[in-house]
């Protein structure tokens, strides 16, 4: 059966093609790589394929699902963990949805710490300065992480690795999770205590109706002055305008953002030389205490290899049995 499986691969980047071609060597699936994202306008490209393979900024809403179903596409294979861009309820009974629940929590947690260290030790400033043979230290003052309180929101796979890393730095860790883990010594507190007590807050929970804009005007007000926010989860956890206001008023000390609510049209693309339309993102990027990476936290060799292998075995399992261990259901 494997030589008959046809996959339409959307939003394909060079690094995706490299890792999927390597993983596909033994399977021999027919994979057609499309640069474009999957959405209502591009869904016609999926005609004749058994499965579509998609990423974080493809839009798999009701219209796209109905269209895939009519075309006989059996499966939406997400090559990521989050599935907030898929209308899973509408897919039920029409098109299967599978994902890669874990590929390297280390990749994301380590990136969160890299952003934090870069930000508070002003590495991004020092790097450009010494490149220009400017060896002045003015304005590069940082602070010790040791002894600081970090609030971790979401203590799943990534959150827990991040907690271990923070403990290695001698930080005091408190956490909030809607479903606290029972098998740990993590100190859970309610979300108000996270806002109130944390010097640094890092987000590792999924985007849901409940978590959308959990960082907003009101919650920012109850945070410590000078708080550092790290978001490697999903952009819409943070109301970007409220964040900008918090930065401007100096209430927020720094922000480290690997994700952004309106990232879909800009992240992963080279927009240099273009007139940049998103004023909020442009203003955030212009701030000396904001670091933005473009949804890069997953991007390690280990993660990409795991993503490719798990995605192809998810497709294999689902198309053969109509079920999959990594299926997403309502
Ligand atoms: P996970 O499913 O292992 O953990 C998520 C945790 O969030 C769970 O413990 C869950 O109980 C908790 N949670 C659920 N609802 C919550 C709520 N309302 N408030 C607080 N906590 C809540 O997921 P994992 O693998 O740790 O990933 C976390 C998030 O990281 C994903 O949802 C995804 O959005 C993001 N991610 C980002 C990547 C990047 O490249 N920037 C790559 C991979 C994941």
């Amino acid at each position: 059966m494997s030589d008959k499986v046809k996959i339409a691969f959307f939003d394909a980047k060079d690094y995706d093609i490299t890792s999927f071609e390597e993983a596909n060597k033994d399977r021999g699936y027919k994979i057609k790589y499309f640069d474009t994202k999957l959405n209502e306008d591009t869904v016609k490209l999926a005609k004749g394929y058994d499965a579509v393979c998609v990423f974080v900024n493809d839009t798999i809403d009701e219209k796209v699902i109905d269209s895939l179903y009519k075309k006989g596409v059996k499966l939406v294979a997400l090559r990521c963990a989050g599935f907030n861009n898929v209308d899973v309820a509408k897919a039920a009974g029409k098109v299967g949805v599978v994902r890669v629940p874990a590929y390297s929590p280390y990749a994301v947690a380590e990136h969160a710490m890299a952003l934090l260290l870069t930000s508070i030790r002003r590495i991004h400033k020092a790097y450009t300065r010494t490149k220009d043979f400017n060896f002045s230290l003015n304005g590069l003052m940082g602070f010790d992480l040791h002894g600081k309180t970090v609030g971790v929101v979401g203590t799943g796979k990534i959150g827990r690795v991040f907690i271990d890393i923070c403990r290695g730095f001698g930080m005091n860790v408190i956490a909030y999770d809607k479903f606290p883990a029972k098998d740990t010594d993590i100190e859970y507190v309610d979300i108000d205590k996270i806002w109130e007590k944390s010097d640094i807050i890092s987000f590792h929970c999924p985007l849901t109706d409940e978590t959308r804009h959990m960082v907003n005007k009101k919650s920012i007000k109850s945070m410590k002055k000078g708080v550092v926010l790290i978001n490697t989860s999903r952009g819409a956890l943070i109301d970007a305008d409220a964040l900008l206001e918090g930065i401007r008023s100096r209430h927020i000390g720094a922000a480290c953002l690997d994700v952004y609510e309106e990232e879909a049209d800009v992240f992963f693309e080279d927009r240099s030389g273009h007139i940049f339309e998103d004023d909020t993102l442009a203003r955030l990027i212009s701030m000396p205490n904001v670091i933005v990476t473009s949804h890069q936290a997953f991007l390690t060799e280990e993660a990409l290899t795991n993503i490719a292998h798990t995605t192809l075995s998810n497709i294999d399992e689902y198309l053969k049995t109509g079920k999959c261990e990594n299926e997403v259901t309502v």
Side-chain angles (χ1 to χ4, degrees):
M1 130 146 204
S2 79
D3 58 336
K4 289 190 199 129
V5 172
K6 287 203 221 149
I7 303 165
F9 194 109
F10 286 87
D11 202 9
K13 304 287 184 237
D14 288 350
Y15 49 80
D16 292 316
I17 298 172
T18 305
S19 57
F20 272 81
E21 284 302 290
E22 184 60 36
N24 192 34
K25 269 185 183 157
D26 299 335
R27 298 182 187 268
Y29 291 166
K30 288 191 175 127
I31 308 179
K32 174 81 178 172
Y33 297 97
F34 295 106
D35 289 348
T36 180
K37 292 182 182 60
L38 177 60
N39 55 40
E40 204 185 324
D41 299 326
T42 61
V43 67
K44 53 184 175 285
L45 296 169
K47 191 167 179 217
Y49 290 90
D50 302 298
V52 291
C53 182
V54 297
F55 197 49
V56 294
N57 290 323
D58 295 285
T59 308
I60 304 93
D61 57 13
E62 185 175 6
K63 280 187 179 157
V64 170
I65 285 162
D66 283 341
S67 181
L68 291 172
Y69 179 59
K70 278 186 200 138
K71 289 175 176 48
V73 176
K74 295 171 203 73
L75 182 64
V76 174
L78 288 148
R79 52 182 190 279
C80 53
F83 50 88
N84 50 285
N85 53 334
V86 182
D87 192 333
V88 179
K90 292 289 184 299
K94 291 182 176 163
V95 183
V97 181
V98 293
R99 67 176 182 132
V100 184
Y103 41 86
S104 173
Y106 311 103
V108 183
E110 289 170 14
H111 191 77
M113 182 48 88
L115 285 173
L116 176 60
L117 286 171
T118 304
S119 169
I120 65 157
R121 300 309 303 268
R122 323 297 289 151
I123 305 294
H124 54 307
K125 295 282 168 198
Y127 176 79
T128 49
R129 238 182 236 195
T130 55
K131 281 276 172 202
D132 200 28
F133 301 96
N134 174 353
F135 301 106
S136 154
L137 296 184
N138 286 335
L140 298 185
M141 178 81 79
F143 63 81
D144 290 2
L145 286 180
H146 188 270
K148 295 292 183 302
T149 296
V150 59
V152 176
V153 180
T155 57
K157 293 173 282 297
I158 297 169
R160 284 199 198 199
V161 174
F162 186 71
I163 287 172
D164 287 345
I165 293 172
C166 290
R167 284 177 169 170
F169 276 80
M171 299 172 82
N172 185 23
V173 179
I174 54 175
Y176 169 75
D177 195 300
K178 194 178 173 194
F179 310 99
K182 297 206 168 58
D183 57 337
T184 72
D185 60 351
I186 295 170
E187 183 188 342
Y188 284 105
V189 296
D190 65 29
I191 194 70
D192 292 332
K193 279 275 176 296
I194 295 281
W195 305 149
E196 189 191 313
K197 300 268 179 215
S198 306
D199 300 299
I200 294 143
I201 305 174
S202 193
F203 295 91
H204 302 288
C205 59
L207 174 62
T208 63
D209 289 344
E210 239 173 312
T211 61
R212 184 177 299 277
H213 286 192
M214 68 194 304
V215 174
N216 53 43
K217 256 189 181 173
K218 185 163 172 260
S219 57
I220 289 172
K221 253 195 195 158
S222 52
M223 291 176 197
K224 273 189 177 177
K225 188 165 169 25
V227 65
V228 178
L229 301 182
I230 311 166
N231 190 6
T232 56
S233 182
R234 285 292 179 266
L237 298 183
I238 297 182
D239 174 344
D241 291 315
L243 174 68
L244 185 55
E245 189 42 47
I247 299 269
R248 291 172 99 128
S249 68
R250 275 85 170 154
H251 193 85
I252 292 177
C256 306
L257 309 174
D258 186 51
V259 286
Y260 172 68
E261 183 165 12
E262 303 298 333
E263 71 178 48
D265 290 335
V266 288
F267 278 18
F268 308 112
E269 308 299 334
D270 181 358
R271 295 276 177 236
S272 56
H274 291 245
I275 305 293
F276 200 72
E277 300 289 349
D278 186 330
D279 289 347
T280 306
L281 182 56
R283 192 73 183 98
L284 282 169
I285 287 172
S286 77
M287 295 289 183
N289 51 353
V290 175
I291 297 184
V292 175
T293 52
S294 49
H295 210 132
Q296 179 189 334
F298 74 100
L299 197 65
T300 66
E301 286 173 20
E302 292 80 357
L304 286 182
T305 301
N306 290 339
I307 286 170
H309 281 284
T310 306
T311 303
L312 293 183
S313 45
N314 284 345
I315 292 172
D316 184 57
E317 191 182 337
Y318 189 89
L319 293 182
K320 276 184 183 150
T321 66
K323 293 184 292 200
C324 178
E325 195 194 345
N326 295 327
E327 193 168 354
V328 183
T329 50
V330 267

